[in-house]
Amino acid sequence: EVQLVQSGAEVKKPGESLKISCKGSGYNFTTYWIGWVRQMPGKGLELMGIIYPSDSDARYSPSFQGHFTISVDKSISTAYLQWSYLRSSDTAIYYCARQSCSGGSCYSDYFHHWGQGTPVTVSS
Amino acid sequence: DIQMTQSPSTLSASVGDRVTITCRASQNINNWLAWYQQKPGKAPNVLIYKASTLESGVPSRFSGSGSGTEFTLTISSLQPDDFATYYCQQYESSSVTFGGGTKVEI
């Protein structure tokens, strides 16, 4: 069974750093793109970026450039989303999601499997 | 980015109703469109991909149609479990984008 298990809820202050994780299991972790999707309170879904675990090729959505980093440690089948300095506007639920098709050229696809979400609250 | 516009944003309906949600793309996306259902506090769940292909395990009362720039999700007979928010997503371009969502409420 394919599973994506995310790290737990976080409460941080503005300016602090944060790294959240997403561990994949039940499939070949290296050959499926994984994306990070933001959902701000009461709002819709926004793709932040995606990463291909096999070679750590990361692609960021144009509207999200520069504020965070997506990475992966394929030795432990885990993807990460990190910020070096948080803002209150980063308060949201963050989902990792695996695309449906396999392979490095398959970076534009729908999301077939989702993690349970990591709520992040940034408040002074 | 390709903009995806859903309508309506909120839909009030009753059990047994036929429900249609529309999604329009700002440019041609062929049939590279998926529909998701999201319930409060849960992750989204894919219902349909490639505009009209039903995901395995999804009830047949859900159907999708359309191509190019206009798409619809239809629920033939609304069930109590279907009250949720629905999102479309295009994956024609390298920067996939979602619609703003349609909340189906009682």
Side-chain angles (χ1 to χ4, degrees):
Chain A
E1 178 194 6
V2 174
Q3 283 194 307
L4 297 172
V5 178
Q6 298 184 228
S7 50
E10 300 276 0
V11 178
K12 293 287 189 178
K13 289 181 166 50
E16 292 185 332
S17 62
L18 176 63
K19 190 174 189 178
I20 63 175
S21 66
C22 168
K23 183 173 176 62
S25 63
Y27 72 99
N28 186 346
F29 182 78
T30 61
T31 61
Y32 289 83
W33 291 81
I34 286 184
W36 285 96
V37 176
R38 182 178 78 175
Q39 187 165 40
M40 298 178 75
K43 301 299 183 182
L45 306 169
E46 304 170 278
L47 179 68
M48 302 171 69
I50 55 174
I51 190 164
Y52 190 60
S54 180
D55 59 8
S56 296
D57 180 9
R59 306 185 183 200
Y60 297 90
S61 296
S63 55
F64 281 93
Q65 290 285 358
H67 181 51
F68 60 92
T69 303
I70 293 171
S71 61
V72 66
D73 185 341
K74 61 184 180 181
S75 69
I76 55 172
S77 300
T78 301
Y80 301 97
L81 173 63
Q82 67 180 90
W83 297 262
S84 55
Y85 62 94
L86 287 161
R87 306 186 285 223
S88 57
S89 57
D90 293 317
T91 294
I93 297 175
Y94 294 88
Y95 294 100
C96 65
R98 197 206 82 174
Q99 293 192 338
S100 173
C101 65
S102 173
S105 62
C106 193
Y107 51 81
S108 185
D109 194 19
Y110 69 97
F111 295 102
H112 197 259
H113 297 278
W114 294 70
Q116 81 276 21
T118 295
V120 173
T121 302
V122 184
S123 174
S124 55
Chain B
D1 281 1
I2 298 175
Q3 306 302 315
M4 305 300 293
T5 304
Q6 282 184 241
S7 60
S9 56
T10 306
L11 188 159
S12 296
S14 301
V15 172
D17 284 353
R18 181 181 181 87
V19 166
T20 298
I21 299 168
T22 298
C23 180
R24 289 187 174 86
S26 60
Q27 64 189 70
N28 182 13
I29 60 169
N30 296 296
N31 60 352
W32 301 116
L33 185 101
W35 289 98
Y36 300 86
Q37 177 192 68
Q38 186 180 33
K39 296 182 179 179
K42 299 293 187 182
N45 185 44
V46 64
L47 301 172
I48 286 167
Y49 60 94
K50 215 169 178 183
S52 61
T53 302
L54 198 66
E55 176 64 34
S56 176
V58 173
S60 59
R61 63 180 179 272
F62 291 92
S63 64
S65 64
S67 66
T69 61
E70 188 153 337
F71 303 84
T72 58
L73 173 70
T74 300
I75 309 172
S76 60
S77 177
L78 199 66
Q79 298 302 301
D81 191 47
D82 301 338
F83 290 96
T85 300
Y86 295 84
Y87 295 93
C88 61
Q89 177 223 324
Q90 66 80 17
Y91 52 104
E92 200 281 335
S93 78
S94 60
S95 183
V96 304
T97 47
F98 293 89
T102 296
K103 184 177 181 180
V104 177
E105 58 184 25
I106 300 173

